[in-house]
Amino acid sequence: MTADVWLPIPPEDIEGLPEGPNYRYWDGAEDFPADPAECVFYVVPYMKPPALGQRPLPRMSSVEVVQTLSAGVDHVEPGLRHLHPGVRLCNARGVHEASTGELTLTLILASLRGVPDFVRAQDRGEWLGGFRPALADKNVLIVGYGSIGAAIEDRLAPFELARVARVARSERTTARGPVHPLTELPALLPEADVVILSTPLTDTTRHLADADFLARMKDGALLVNVARGPVVDTKALLAELETGRITAALDVTDPEPLPREHPLWRAPGVLISPHVGGPTSAFLPRAKRLLVDQLSRYVNREPLRNVILTTGAKRA
């Protein structure tokens, strides 16, 4: 059996790939680069529709590793049902922290300081002065404190915040302070001036920011979603935005892409970026380093990094 590795980046562009496998380039083209049955390590094309990335999985009878180049794996998981037990699914932890952290800070500052209003005023030739909220002295709540949540806090650290509260699936302690369990989220929401969603999309987090969640946010608070669109109940968010009680900055939406006539585009107090948290100039060098490391580990039969689940086994 030929041991093929499918890469969405041309292998000749990745310095340091280990010798041994046959590297095949496939970034979602209609024709597969080889027989999917001979693929042992599949790197899912980045920023492509979920159905496209899942398309070869039913024919990958020999695959041992499925590697995403995204932090989330929800776009791949439905296709795993076609695979035999024992296939490891790995995410791209370490690739997107810098870019997503930068965008999160950008969305917060732009929203608080009124940058969208300034851009519109510039188009009208209008000098729009006045006082705006500062990030300094604010209470910030990070919901989803994995590597991206921690990277966001790193970038918030110089801004003289009053407090940062952290929430994750389970309670733990970090160098920066305690991480609260999800069960404590209702008590933390009313204290936060800025609520940042950076959690993966799971059955637990789908519509986590529902009507009750949003109602608990304090008047004037800002909701920032750099996670996945369905983490927020769009209908409930629209209802809150229409009242003007809270504002939002969204890099992800539900649905996505957001249709031209969707009311979220025109809701008051919302800033929308088109899911650009990851795709920056920082992506490619980090993605290449991850692939070289993971494939070296695979070839040398060393433990892989970032294993999210193994097919046929219960998810931790």
Side-chain angles (χ1 to χ4, degrees):
M1 176 68 69
T2 303
D4 284 356
V5 171
W6 285 24
L7 298 171
I9 303 169
E12 61 271 19
D13 293 344
I14 306 176
E15 185 177 351
L17 286 174
E19 296 182 359
N22 296 318
Y23 294 106
R24 312 285 191 180
Y25 171 63
W26 188 68
D27 194 29
E30 181 176 353
D31 294 332
F32 293 141
D35 185 351
E38 297 179 352
C39 178
V40 296
F41 195 114
Y42 171 45
V43 183
V44 182
Y46 181 57
M47 294 294 288
K48 302 291 185 180
L52 187 150
Q54 296 173 31
R55 186 161 69 91
L57 290 174
R59 296 174 56 185
M60 288 186 162
S61 55
S62 302
V63 73
E64 297 178 2
V65 180
V66 175
Q67 171 75 57
T68 71
L69 291 180
S70 56
V73 296
D74 49 282
H75 61 299
V76 177
E77 285 188 275
L80 301 183
R81 68 184 186 275
H82 300 293
L83 303 181
H84 56 82
V87 178
R88 289 159 288 175
L89 173 65
C90 306
N91 76 351
R93 180 186 176 99
V95 171
H96 297 288
E97 284 78 355
S99 294
T100 305
E102 285 182 7
L103 182 68
T104 304
L105 188 58
T106 300
L107 291 173
I108 294 171
L109 292 173
S111 296
L112 291 178
R113 299 299 294 268
V115 172
D117 293 336
F118 299 153
V119 172
R120 296 184 184 108
Q122 181 177 346
D123 290 340
R124 300 190 301 266
E126 179 183 349
W127 188 268
L128 187 65
F131 273 76
R132 298 280 179 166
L135 180 53
D137 307 324
K138 293 290 189 289
N139 290 327
V140 175
L141 173 61
I142 302 174
V143 183
Y145 200 77
S147 61
I148 288 178
I152 291 170
E153 183 173 7
D154 289 343
R155 285 151 180 82
L156 289 170
F159 283 84
E160 302 180 29
L161 301 176
R163 178 192 178 197
V164 174
R166 311 157 195 87
V167 171
R169 182 175 58 176
S170 55
E171 185 176 9
R172 65 182 188 274
T173 300
T174 71
R176 288 200 181 274
V179 178
H180 302 270
L182 271 174
T183 53
E184 296 182 15
L185 184 56
L188 294 169
L189 281 168
E191 303 173 5
D193 300 293
V194 179
V195 178
I196 301 168
L197 302 174
S198 57
T199 182
L201 178 62
T202 66
D203 291 340
T204 301
T205 62
R206 185 176 294 274
H207 283 189
L208 175 67
D210 58 9
D212 181 66
F213 178 112
L214 298 171
R216 289 178 183 273
M217 291 176 60
K218 70 191 301 185
D219 290 354
L222 170 66
L223 178 73
V224 181
N225 188 7
V226 292
R228 286 290 187 267
V231 171
V232 175
D233 182 334
T234 301
K235 184 177 179 181
L237 177 61
L238 276 168
E240 286 286 359
L241 291 171
E242 291 294 342
T243 70
R245 197 182 67 81
I246 66 171
T247 57
L250 312 171
D251 184 49
V252 288
T253 61
D254 183 24
E256 189 176 304
L258 198 62
R260 179 183 295 271
E261 299 305 318
H262 197 283
L264 195 57
W265 284 119
R266 294 169 297 282
V270 63
L271 171 60
I272 298 173
S273 57
H275 201 155
V276 292
T280 72
S281 59
F283 165 73
L284 202 55
R286 287 161 178 78
K288 291 177 180 180
R289 288 197 294 267
L290 172 71
L291 293 179
V292 169
D293 181 62
Q294 287 286 71
L295 284 163
S296 296
R297 289 171 175 272
Y298 175 78
V299 167
N300 294 314
R301 298 301 175 187
E302 297 173 354
L304 297 178
R305 299 188 191 276
N306 308 343
V307 177
I308 300 299
L309 62 83
T310 302
T311 55
K314 288 187 178 181
R315 188 166 181 170

